[in-house]
Amino acid sequence: MIYKRSSALFTDAKKVIPGGVNSPVRAFKAVGGDPVFVKRAAGAYLYDEDDNQLIDYINSWGPLILGHAHKPVVDAVVEKARMGTSFGTPTEIETRIAELAVKMVPNIDKIRMVNSGTEACMSAVRLARGFTGKDKIIKFAGCYHGHSDSFLIQAGSGAVTFGSPNSPGVTQGTAKDTLLANFNDLENVKELVEANKEEIACIILEPVAGNMGCIPPAEGFLKGLRKLCDETGILLVFDEVMTGFRLAAGGVQQRENVVADIVCFGKVIGGGLPVGAFAARNEIMDHLAPIGPVYQAGTLSGNPLAMAAGLAMLTELDSNPEIFKSIDKKTAYLHEGMEKVLKQNEIDFTINRYGSMISVHFGLDAVTDFASAAKSANLGTFNKFFHGMLENGIYIAPSAYETWFISDALSYEDLDRTIEVVDKVAKTL
Ligand SMILES: *Cc1c(COP(=O)(O)O)cnc(C)c1O
């Protein structure tokens, strides 16, 4: 494959954009080489500036569960755009998407739209603090909740890929209110709660972790957190930015049958446009301005184009619930296929999967938390694997800490092709 034009564009970009990218994970810093500049995309494929066709396993980092340029979504956006792109007033479509989201997701009465997953998580924590009157939060090593200050403590994927789990610029004052626990370690959480009694507003987590590879919750972990929160008056916040409307219509809450007090959304809910949201029961949501004292706002929040894309996406998922089964089946097929060829090539590996999220880790140790994910990532095998895949037209995330996102646009031929390439690349590892 030739990446001449991509490389030239990257050179231009680096002169005027820090690192040439507007979000760090897009740069190939961890794996080496220049990033691919994409010109257009359709269905399961990206077409880059050098006219290479790539089978896409990133799907804009999760939102494009139905593939690129999905017609109902694109049509909805185009039609809205012709009517004006932003009014700064309430619009009907905001209510319609909120109604649908509230119908699809368990245990929520109201939802507030924002512009990114970062904003959703940041606002959810402010609301949890305002509601409980407490300051501290518990987060888990390797979980990512966007880039707001409170969360940049052992923050998974992007942040750890660049070896800066704790960012300069986050003050000591902010950091001291974020307590860090080990994912899948309920005892550890109980100890933290015990040691900081009466001070903790919320426990926030990705209920299926996706920013240190894909790490499913251990048996009893989520239910244990729920029980602990019920006993202590701490709010349980599920960051379903990645998992919401992907693992089921009602996300992990539905699949694992555990409810959270506040749920954060992003990615799929925007259908590929910049949308985030957070939601809870009335009792909690009514603490928000303008009816309650907790302030939160946004000039472009609930933007008509973004809402049109989101509503078209959620409508598709709500009226075709078999999509969730279909992507899970495709992901299981890929899982089995890759497992088979990696074994045949005597590679040491672990594949983690939950629904349509999957990650390949090199090394034989089970990957169940941040420490085990980091151990695997440090073996260096992933970088070779990544470049081998890319060279053969398969686009996976340029970091050992990222999940692959399966879209329903992927055909079984695409999956077979991918498994063939994994076989080919495995011979070079
Ligand atoms: C992507 C992601 C975020 C941040 O969302 P942005 O839209 O990038 O700000 C937060 N939490 C999780 C779990 C995510 O995967």
Side-chain angles (χ1 to χ4, degrees), residues 37-56:
F37 276 56
V38 171
K39 187 161 59 181
R40 67 183 182 90
Y45 310 113
L46 297 171
Y47 299 89
D48 71 12
E49 291 284 354
D50 294 280
D51 293 320
N52 298 304
Q53 186 197 58
L54 304 166
I55 302 180
D56 188 12

PDB file of all heavy atoms in Angstrom, residues 37-56:
ATOM      1  N   PHE A  37      -4.932   9.459   6.235  1.00  0.00           N
ATOM      2  CA  PHE A  37      -5.940  10.518   6.080  1.00  0.00           C
ATOM      3  C   PHE A  37      -7.082   9.963   5.235  1.00  0.00           C
ATOM      4  O   PHE A  37      -6.870   9.486   4.128  1.00  0.00           O
ATOM      5  CB  PHE A  37      -5.330  11.756   5.398  1.00  0.00           C
ATOM      6  CG  PHE A  37      -4.618  12.673   6.358  1.00  0.00           C
ATOM      7  CD1 PHE A  37      -3.586  12.205   7.169  1.00  0.00           C
ATOM      8  CD2 PHE A  37      -4.991  14.002   6.465  1.00  0.00           C
ATOM      9  CE1 PHE A  37      -2.936  13.046   8.070  1.00  0.00           C
ATOM     10  CE2 PHE A  37      -4.347  14.859   7.363  1.00  0.00           C
ATOM     11  CZ  PHE A  37      -3.321  14.384   8.159  1.00  0.00           C
ATOM     12  N   VAL A  38      -8.277  10.037   5.770  1.00  0.00           N
ATOM     13  CA  VAL A  38      -9.427   9.454   5.077  1.00  0.00           C
ATOM     14  C   VAL A  38     -10.171  10.527   4.291  1.00  0.00           C
ATOM     15  O   VAL A  38     -10.390  11.635   4.779  1.00  0.00           O
ATOM     16  CB  VAL A  38     -10.359   8.747   6.087  1.00  0.00           C
ATOM     17  CG1 VAL A  38     -11.667   8.334   5.427  1.00  0.00           C
ATOM     18  CG2 VAL A  38      -9.655   7.539   6.677  1.00  0.00           C
ATOM     19  N   LYS A  39     -10.545  10.165   3.082  1.00  0.00           N
ATOM     20  CA  LYS A  39     -11.242  11.091   2.186  1.00  0.00           C
ATOM     21  C   LYS A  39     -12.747  10.869   2.260  1.00  0.00           C
ATOM     22  O   LYS A  39     -13.530  11.792   2.287  1.00  0.00           O
ATOM     23  CB  LYS A  39     -10.740  10.832   0.762  1.00  0.00           C
ATOM     24  CG  LYS A  39     -11.235  11.798  -0.277  1.00  0.00           C
ATOM     25  CD  LYS A  39     -10.354  11.786  -1.539  1.00  0.00           C
ATOM     26  CE  LYS A  39     -10.308  10.403  -2.177  1.00  0.00           C
ATOM     27  NZ  LYS A  39      -9.457  10.366  -3.382  1.00  0.00           N
ATOM     28  N   ARG A  40     -13.144   9.609   2.266  1.00  0.00           N
ATOM     29  CA  ARG A  40     -14.575   9.305   2.338  1.00  0.00           C
ATOM     30  C   ARG A  40     -14.739   7.884   2.852  1.00  0.00           C
ATOM     31  O   ARG A  40     -13.744   7.147   2.960  1.00  0.00           O
ATOM     32  CB  ARG A  40     -15.231   9.461   0.963  1.00  0.00           C
ATOM     33  CG  ARG A  40     -14.771   8.433  -0.034  1.00  0.00           C
ATOM     34  CD  ARG A  40     -15.388   8.653  -1.417  1.00  0.00           C
ATOM     35  NE  ARG A  40     -14.936   7.584  -2.312  1.00  0.00           N
ATOM     36  CZ  ARG A  40     -15.578   6.428  -2.466  1.00  0.00           C
ATOM     37  NH1 ARG A  40     -16.710   6.193  -1.833  1.00  0.00           N
ATOM     38  NH2 ARG A  40     -15.092   5.508  -3.275  1.00  0.00           N
ATOM     39  N   ALA A  41     -15.976   7.528   3.160  1.00  0.00           N
ATOM     40  CA  ALA A  41     -16.231   6.186   3.662  1.00  0.00           C
ATOM     41  C   ALA A  41     -17.640   5.774   3.303  1.00  0.00           C
ATOM     42  O   ALA A  41     -18.523   6.625   3.137  1.00  0.00           O
ATOM     43  CB  ALA A  41     -16.051   6.156   5.175  1.00  0.00           C
ATOM     44  N   ALA A  42     -17.846   4.485   3.154  1.00  0.00           N
ATOM     45  CA  ALA A  42     -19.181   3.967   2.859  1.00  0.00           C
ATOM     46  C   ALA A  42     -19.285   2.563   3.424  1.00  0.00           C
ATOM     47  O   ALA A  42     -18.375   1.746   3.231  1.00  0.00           O
ATOM     48  CB  ALA A  42     -19.425   3.951   1.351  1.00  0.00           C
ATOM     49  N   GLY A  43     -20.358   2.293   4.152  1.00  0.00           N
ATOM     50  CA  GLY A  43     -20.558   0.950   4.702  1.00  0.00           C
ATOM     51  C   GLY A  43     -19.401   0.545   5.592  1.00  0.00           C
ATOM     52  O   GLY A  43     -19.051   1.235   6.537  1.00  0.00           O
ATOM     53  N   ALA A  44     -18.776  -0.583   5.240  1.00  0.00           N
ATOM     54  CA  ALA A  44     -17.700  -1.124   6.077  1.00  0.00           C
ATOM     55  C   ALA A  44     -16.324  -0.580   5.704  1.00  0.00           C
ATOM     56  O   ALA A  44     -15.326  -0.952   6.309  1.00  0.00           O
ATOM     57  CB  ALA A  44     -17.688  -2.646   5.961  1.00  0.00           C
ATOM     58  N   TYR A  45     -16.272   0.299   4.706  1.00  0.00           N
ATOM     59  CA  TYR A  45     -14.960   0.681   4.160  1.00  0.00           C
ATOM     60  C   TYR A  45     -14.611   2.157   4.280  1.00  0.00           C
ATOM     61  O   TYR A  45     -15.465   3.025   4.098  1.00  0.00           O
ATOM     62  CB  TYR A  45     -14.885   0.306   2.666  1.00  0.00           C
ATOM     63  CG  TYR A  45     -15.304  -1.110   2.397  1.00  0.00           C
ATOM     64  CD1 TYR A  45     -16.465  -1.373   1.679  1.00  0.00           C
ATOM     65  CD2 TYR A  45     -14.562  -2.176   2.911  1.00  0.00           C
ATOM     66  CE1 TYR A  45     -16.870  -2.687   1.457  1.00  0.00           C
ATOM     67  CE2 TYR A  45     -14.968  -3.486   2.685  1.00  0.00           C
ATOM     68  CZ  TYR A  45     -16.128  -3.733   1.957  1.00  0.00           C
ATOM     69  OH  TYR A  45     -16.527  -5.019   1.751  1.00  0.00           O
ATOM     70  N   LEU A  46     -13.334   2.370   4.536  1.00  0.00           N
ATOM     71  CA  LEU A  46     -12.751   3.705   4.452  1.00  0.00           C
ATOM     72  C   LEU A  46     -11.991   3.789   3.127  1.00  0.00           C
ATOM     73  O   LEU A  46     -11.405   2.794   2.687  1.00  0.00           O
ATOM     74  CB  LEU A  46     -11.729   3.922   5.576  1.00  0.00           C
ATOM     75  CG  LEU A  46     -12.197   3.889   7.025  1.00  0.00           C
ATOM     76  CD1 LEU A  46     -10.974   3.904   7.948  1.00  0.00           C
ATOM     77  CD2 LEU A  46     -13.113   5.071   7.325  1.00  0.00           C
ATOM     78  N   TYR A  47     -11.987   4.979   2.533  1.00  0.00           N
ATOM     79  CA  TYR A  47     -11.167   5.229   1.350  1.00  0.00           C
ATOM     80  C   TYR A  47     -10.254   6.387   1.691  1.00  0.00           C
ATOM     81  O   TYR A  47     -10.732   7.467   2.037  1.00  0.00           O
ATOM     82  CB  TYR A  47     -12.050   5.560   0.137  1.00  0.00           C
ATOM     83  CG  TYR A  47     -12.977   4.410  -0.195  1.00  0.00           C
ATOM     84  CD1 TYR A  47     -14.232   4.320   0.407  1.00  0.00           C
ATOM     85  CD2 TYR A  47     -12.571   3.390  -1.060  1.00  0.00           C
ATOM     86  CE1 TYR A  47     -15.070   3.246   0.138  1.00  0.00           C
ATOM     87  CE2 TYR A  47     -13.413   2.321  -1.333  1.00  0.00           C
ATOM     88  CZ  TYR A  47     -14.664   2.247  -0.727  1.00  0.00           C
ATOM     89  OH  TYR A  47     -15.488   1.192  -0.984  1.00  0.00           O
ATOM     90  N   ASP A  48      -8.946   6.131   1.633  1.00  0.00           N
ATOM     91  CA  ASP A  48      -8.035   7.168   2.089  1.00  0.00           C
ATOM     92  C   ASP A  48      -7.617   8.083   0.939  1.00  0.00           C
ATOM     93  O   ASP A  48      -8.048   7.905  -0.209  1.00  0.00           O
ATOM     94  CB  ASP A  48      -6.845   6.565   2.838  1.00  0.00           C
ATOM     95  CG  ASP A  48      -5.885   5.823   1.929  1.00  0.00           C
ATOM     96  OD1 ASP A  48      -5.982   5.940   0.692  1.00  0.00           O
ATOM     97  OD2 ASP A  48      -5.020   5.108   2.474  1.00  0.00           O
ATOM     98  N   GLU A  49      -6.793   9.042   1.262  1.00  0.00           N
ATOM     99  CA  GLU A  49      -6.386  10.060   0.278  1.00  0.00           C
ATOM    100  C   GLU A  49      -5.523   9.476  -0.834  1.00  0.00           C
ATOM    101  O   GLU A  49      -5.300  10.118  -1.847  1.00  0.00           O
ATOM    102  CB  GLU A  49      -5.663  11.207   0.992  1.00  0.00           C
ATOM    103  CG  GLU A  49      -6.574  12.051   1.889  1.00  0.00           C
ATOM    104  CD  GLU A  49      -7.467  13.012   1.108  1.00  0.00           C
ATOM    105  OE1 GLU A  49      -7.311  13.110  -0.125  1.00  0.00           O
ATOM    106  OE2 GLU A  49      -8.330  13.657   1.747  1.00  0.00           O
ATOM    107  N   ASP A  50      -5.000   8.267  -0.635  1.00  0.00           N
ATOM    108  CA  ASP A  50      -4.240   7.599  -1.707  1.00  0.00           C
ATOM    109  C   ASP A  50      -5.109   6.566  -2.428  1.00  0.00           C
ATOM    110  O   ASP A  50      -4.602   5.716  -3.155  1.00  0.00           O
ATOM    111  CB  ASP A  50      -2.991   6.937  -1.126  1.00  0.00           C
ATOM    112  CG  ASP A  50      -1.998   7.973  -0.599  1.00  0.00           C
ATOM    113  OD1 ASP A  50      -1.275   8.550  -1.410  1.00  0.00           O
ATOM    114  OD2 ASP A  50      -2.003   8.225   0.628  1.00  0.00           O
ATOM    115  N   ASP A  51      -6.438   6.615  -2.145  1.00  0.00           N
ATOM    116  CA  ASP A  51      -7.410   5.701  -2.745  1.00  0.00           C
ATOM    117  C   ASP A  51      -7.232   4.241  -2.346  1.00  0.00           C
ATOM    118  O   ASP A  51      -7.654   3.341  -3.065  1.00  0.00           O
ATOM    119  CB  ASP A  51      -7.434   5.842  -4.279  1.00  0.00           C
ATOM    120  CG  ASP A  51      -7.969   7.213  -4.688  1.00  0.00           C
ATOM    121  OD1 ASP A  51      -8.930   7.692  -4.043  1.00  0.00           O
ATOM    122  OD2 ASP A  51      -7.410   7.816  -5.623  1.00  0.00           O
ATOM    123  N   ASN A  52      -6.614   4.007  -1.185  1.00  0.00           N
ATOM    124  CA  ASN A  52      -6.626   2.646  -0.643  1.00  0.00           C
ATOM    125  C   ASN A  52      -7.995   2.391  -0.030  1.00  0.00           C
ATOM    126  O   ASN A  52      -8.587   3.283   0.579  1.00  0.00           O
ATOM    127  CB  ASN A  52      -5.587   2.498   0.482  1.00  0.00           C
ATOM    128  CG  ASN A  52      -4.172   2.743  -0.004  1.00  0.00           C
ATOM    129  OD1 ASN A  52      -3.714   2.089  -0.934  1.00  0.00           O
ATOM    130  ND2 ASN A  52      -3.484   3.685   0.623  1.00  0.00           N
ATOM    131  N   GLN A  53      -8.480   1.163  -0.166  1.00  0.00           N
ATOM    132  CA  GLN A  53      -9.727   0.775   0.504  1.00  0.00           C
ATOM    133  C   GLN A  53      -9.365  -0.022   1.763  1.00  0.00           C
ATOM    134  O   GLN A  53      -8.568  -0.966   1.702  1.00  0.00           O
ATOM    135  CB  GLN A  53     -10.585  -0.096  -0.422  1.00  0.00           C
ATOM    136  CG  GLN A  53     -11.949  -0.388   0.181  1.00  0.00           C
ATOM    137  CD  GLN A  53     -12.651  -1.551  -0.493  1.00  0.00           C
ATOM    138  OE1 GLN A  53     -12.139  -2.664  -0.533  1.00  0.00           O
ATOM    139  NE2 GLN A  53     -13.830  -1.306  -1.019  1.00  0.00           N
ATOM    140  N   LEU A  54      -9.921   0.382   2.896  1.00  0.00           N
ATOM    141  CA  LEU A  54      -9.605  -0.294   4.160  1.00  0.00           C
ATOM    142  C   LEU A  54     -10.889  -0.807   4.797  1.00  0.00           C
ATOM    143  O   LEU A  54     -11.898  -0.095   4.835  1.00  0.00           O
ATOM    144  CB  LEU A  54      -8.934   0.699   5.126  1.00  0.00           C
ATOM    145  CG  LEU A  54      -7.668   1.400   4.616  1.00  0.00           C
ATOM    146  CD1 LEU A  54      -7.321   2.583   5.516  1.00  0.00           C
ATOM    147  CD2 LEU A  54      -6.505   0.415   4.566  1.00  0.00           C
ATOM    148  N   ILE A  55     -10.846  -2.039   5.305  1.00  0.00           N
ATOM    149  CA  ILE A  55     -11.989  -2.536   6.088  1.00  0.00           C
ATOM    150  C   ILE A  55     -11.867  -1.917   7.478  1.00  0.00           C
ATOM    151  O   ILE A  55     -10.826  -2.026   8.130  1.00  0.00           O
ATOM    152  CB  ILE A  55     -11.980  -4.077   6.202  1.00  0.00           C
ATOM    153  CG1 ILE A  55     -12.002  -4.722   4.813  1.00  0.00           C
ATOM    154  CG2 ILE A  55     -13.172  -4.553   7.041  1.00  0.00           C
ATOM    155  CD1 ILE A  55     -12.004  -6.255   4.840  1.00  0.00           C
ATOM    156  N   ASP A  56     -12.936  -1.253   7.917  1.00  0.00           N
ATOM    157  CA  ASP A  56     -12.840  -0.420   9.117  1.00  0.00           C
ATOM    158  C   ASP A  56     -13.347  -1.133  10.375  1.00  0.00           C
ATOM    159  O   ASP A  56     -14.522  -1.496  10.460  1.00  0.00           O
ATOM    160  CB  ASP A  56     -13.638   0.874   8.898  1.00  0.00           C
ATOM    161  CG  ASP A  56     -13.417   1.868  10.027  1.00  0.00           C
ATOM    162  OD1 ASP A  56     -12.495   1.667  10.836  1.00  0.00           O
ATOM    163  OD2 ASP A  56     -14.184   2.854  10.092  1.00  0.00           O
TER     164      ASP A  56
END
